[in-house]
């Protein structure tokens, strides 16, 4: 079973290393401007999807976290023939339906222009678990100010809502109970994609480091049902 794991803003493909473990045929690409991948301008979710599409094997499970979930959503809508199932973790289809989210993203982009990178990294770890704080510090410290700004810009401009009703593959939507900012958008995804399942787990936005055991169990259970269907 091939699977493609798409990371969130400010992270890289290596964010999944400990979570997926020895999972066979798992692909963990870097989004443009992240890890070893070159940036694309303008930074847009649609362009990120263009860069990743050739690396998606036939019959793949697409897993996306946050911004990576937007990219996975775009890929599933464009290339349904390649996708066997879709898993969206802490993902919203757009930030435009919430003035608070648009404002928050805009403020974060403004802060990047003035706040020193080390301070931005420190601010990003506030309120996180010890494990997640260490992980974020490691991941974010590898980024430039411009790469994180570009990732936020991509999220701010994306609107995947019109695509939802056209997605027909089995879909799992997972949210962290502590991060209410994603709940409305995630529910919209689950309510609009036919047959989609919504699961809420203890933890925050970084569920794969906050609560890896339960998240992996939910994913494995979902995939077992998908691949045993007749």
């Amino acid at each position: 079973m091939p699977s493609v794991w798409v990371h969130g803003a400010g992270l890289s493909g290596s964010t999944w290393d400990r979570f997926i473990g020895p999972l066979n045929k798992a692909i963990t690409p870097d989004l443009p401007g992240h890890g070893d991948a070159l940036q694309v301008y303008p930074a847009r979710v649609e362009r990120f999807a263009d860069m990743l599409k050739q690396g998606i094997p036939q019959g793949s499970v697409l897993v996306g976290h946050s911004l990576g979930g937007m990219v996975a959503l775009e890929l599933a809508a464009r290339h349904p023939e390649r996708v066997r199932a879709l898993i969206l973790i802490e993902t919203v289809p757009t930030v435009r339906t919430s003035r608070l989210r648009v404002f928050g993203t805009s403020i974060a982009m403004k802060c990047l222009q003035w706040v020193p990178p080390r301070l931005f990294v420190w601010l990003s770890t506030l309120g996180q678990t010890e494990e997640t704080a260490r992980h974020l510090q490691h991941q974010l410290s590898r980024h430039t100010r411009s790469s994180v700004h570009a990732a936020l810009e991509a999220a701010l401009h994306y609107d995947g809502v019109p695509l939802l009703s056209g997605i027909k593959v089995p879909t799992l939507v997972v949210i962290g109970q502590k991060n209410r900012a994603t709940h409305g958008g995630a529910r919209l995804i689950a309510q609009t994609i036919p047959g989609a399942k919504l699961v809420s787990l203890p933890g925050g936005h970084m569920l794969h480091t906050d609560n890896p055991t339960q998240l992996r169990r939910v994913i494995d259970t979902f995939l077992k049902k998908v691949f045993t269907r007749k």
Side-chain angles (χ1 to χ4, degrees):
M1 174 185 66
S3 58
V4 181
W5 301 71
V6 191
H7 64 82
L11 306 177
S12 68
S14 65
T15 192
W16 300 111
D17 288 353
R18 292 183 64 183
F19 182 77
I20 62 175
L23 192 64
N24 291 331
K25 300 182 180 179
I27 302 169
T28 56
D30 291 328
L31 289 174
H34 297 70
D36 295 325
L38 297 177
Q39 185 58 273
V40 294
Y41 297 98
R44 298 291 185 269
V45 167
E46 294 85 351
R47 297 200 68 188
F48 291 0
D50 287 339
M51 301 298 290
L52 265 59
K53 66 181 179 182
Q54 295 303 324
I56 302 174
Q58 196 77 20
S60 290
V61 175
L62 282 185
V63 186
H65 169 243
S66 194
L67 173 63
M70 290 179 167
V71 177
L73 178 65
E74 183 73 17
L75 287 166
R78 287 197 206 175
H79 307 287
E81 73 285 352
R82 295 192 190 183
V83 181
R84 182 66 181 86
L86 178 64
I87 299 172
L88 303 174
I89 304 166
E90 276 289 295
T91 298
V92 298
T94 182
V95 301
R96 298 181 189 180
T97 56
S98 168
R99 290 183 180 179
L100 181 60
R101 284 189 62 80
V102 170
F103 178 73
T105 304
S106 300
I107 289 297
M109 292 172 68
K110 290 289 185 182
C111 287
L112 280 171
Q113 297 177 357
W114 305 105
V115 174
R118 288 186 179 182
L119 179 57
F120 179 78
V121 172
W122 179 77
L123 289 171
S124 299
T125 63
L126 291 178
Q128 304 290 346
T129 65
E130 184 176 342
E131 174 64 25
T132 294
R134 282 198 302 267
H135 187 77
L136 282 171
Q137 187 170 24
H138 171 69
Q139 291 283 326
L140 287 168
S141 63
R142 302 173 60 198
H143 286 271
T144 64
R145 188 186 310 224
S146 63
S147 68
V148 178
H149 186 279
L152 295 175
E153 179 185 347
L156 186 62
H157 283 84
Y158 186 63
D159 184 6
V161 174
L163 305 177
L164 297 178
S165 60
I167 294 177
K168 306 301 182 184
V169 298
T171 301
L172 172 67
V173 183
V174 189
I175 54 176
Q177 293 171 2
K178 291 183 179 180
N179 186 33
R180 295 183 178 275
T182 60
H183 292 186
R187 290 193 183 98
L188 177 60
I189 294 174
Q191 291 166 0
T192 311
I193 295 179
K197 180 180 180 181
L198 176 66
V199 175
S200 175
L201 293 177
H205 190 57
M206 293 284 290
L207 273 176
H208 63 291
T209 54
D210 282 349
N211 193 354
T213 301
Q214 287 192 49
L215 178 60
R216 183 61 188 271
R217 185 181 302 125
V218 165
I219 290 174
D220 289 347
T221 299
F222 169 73
L223 292 178
K224 184 177 180 179
K225 291 181 179 178
V226 168
F227 285 92
T228 55
R229 289 176 183 172
K230 295 183 179 179

